[in-house]
Amino acid sequence: MAHSRVAIVTGAARGIGAAVAKRLAKDGLAVGVVDLAEDACAATVEAITADGGKAVAVGADVADSAAVSAAVARVSQELGPPTVLVNNAGITRDNLLFKMTEDDWDAVIAVHLRGAFLMSREVQKHQTEQGWGRIVNLSSTSALGNRGQANYSAAKAGMQGFTKTLAIELGKFGVTVNAIAPGFIETEMTAATAARVGVPFEDFKAGAAAAIPVRRVGQPEDIAAVVSFLAGEESGFVSGQVIYVAGGPQD
């Protein structure tokens, strides 16, 4: 392969991002592990290096263009020019519309949408130069609507439109762009949701599993496996797609 085998995963300190970074490292890619605080990435990087992989921790606010430029430049210098980008960084600021503040709205849109835009714009330079690339954006089943998540669902639906447009623009450069929309995945984020609604996490998961056709909640590794396929050589004719990884069909 003529292109470099370097990936950047945002929001990779924990949860889905950490699982994705570890899986891509296992697949043989060197991984730039990006999260808000560099020291928060240490556990992910250590897990990768202990397993014989190569990774570097980078602290960056994905909504800050200067920080994004610096982060991508650093990964490029230390590991090589990135050809795989996973836009996973995300936050929640859940509230019903009448209680949602402008800050709640702006923060969620900034991390998900502005972050994916800035990271993609920066990384595509390396991808188009090498004539090969993979961008995977994390959407969510919340894109279809979810009570108390006007900001998050709008951001996650936005990721789908962003994905389809980049697929059209970047295809001729050998770059595919796809989105994954997870359903209920067992992470610190879903644990926090359970705490917020005052339900023990085990009960929360059991309730979710009962409504899922495969009768279990998802694990971060379920998402990582799909990223692995979309980031690989064999998925080159798959682009502009939104894959719901939710244990059943979504309306």
Side-chain angles (χ1 to χ4, degrees):
M1 282 174 294
H3 58 85
S4 79
R5 302 269 289 154
V6 178
I8 292 177
V9 182
T10 68
R14 60 189 68 80
I16 289 172
V20 167
K22 291 172 195 170
R23 176 60 190 260
L24 292 178
K26 206 178 277 280
D27 291 343
L29 284 85
V31 184
V33 176
V34 177
D35 214 300
L36 199 51
E38 186 173 321
D39 57 1
C41 301
T44 303
V45 170
E46 282 161 17
I48 289 170
T49 51
D51 209 26
K54 195 172 179 187
V56 60
V58 182
D61 174 357
V62 295
D64 178 325
S65 60
V68 165
S69 295
V72 174
R74 193 173 147 212
V75 170
S76 190
Q77 285 156 12
E78 296 193 24
L79 300 176
T83 49
V84 173
L85 170 64
V86 182
N87 285 309
N88 167 75
I91 59 169
T92 53
R93 296 284 186 272
D94 296 352
N95 237 325
L96 293 174
L97 179 65
F98 77 101
K99 288 194 281 194
M100 187 174 286
T101 67
E102 287 164 39
D103 283 348
D104 290 339
W105 177 270
D106 291 344
V108 168
I109 298 298
V111 174
H112 293 90
L113 281 179
R114 181 180 165 90
F117 157 65
L118 292 174
M119 288 296 309
S120 300
R121 189 178 64 176
E122 201 63 30
V123 171
Q124 61 82 30
K125 299 171 190 172
H126 298 288
Q127 295 172 324
T128 54
E129 270 173 21
Q130 298 190 60
W132 192 94
R134 300 284 187 262
I135 297 175
V136 182
N137 295 320
L138 268 291
S139 179
S140 167
T141 53
S142 293
L144 303 169
N146 196 28
R147 181 179 170 84
Q149 290 196 316
N151 48 5
Y152 188 78
S153 63
K156 291 307 199 182
M159 291 291 260
Q160 299 190 13
F162 179 66
T163 295
K164 290 169 187 285
T165 297
L166 292 199
I168 294 166
E169 293 186 11
L170 298 176
K172 66 182 176 187
F173 300 106
V175 180
T176 68
V177 189
N178 293 286
I180 295 173
F184 191 109
I185 309 294
E186 185 177 344
T187 63
E188 286 176 32
M189 194 181 267
T190 47
T193 303
R196 185 173 51 79
V197 297
V199 178
F201 194 34
E202 289 306 314
D203 296 349
F204 195 65
K205 286 188 292 182
I212 296 170
V214 300
R215 290 294 185 269
R216 69 170 176 91
V217 299
Q219 298 300 321
E221 292 73 23
D222 290 313
I223 305 304
V226 182
V227 174
S228 174
F229 170 68
L230 293 175
E233 297 292 336
E234 294 185 320
S235 62
F237 205 54
V238 180
S239 196
Q241 301 307 302
V242 179
I243 302 175
Y244 283 82
V245 184
Q250 301 299 306
D251 300 327

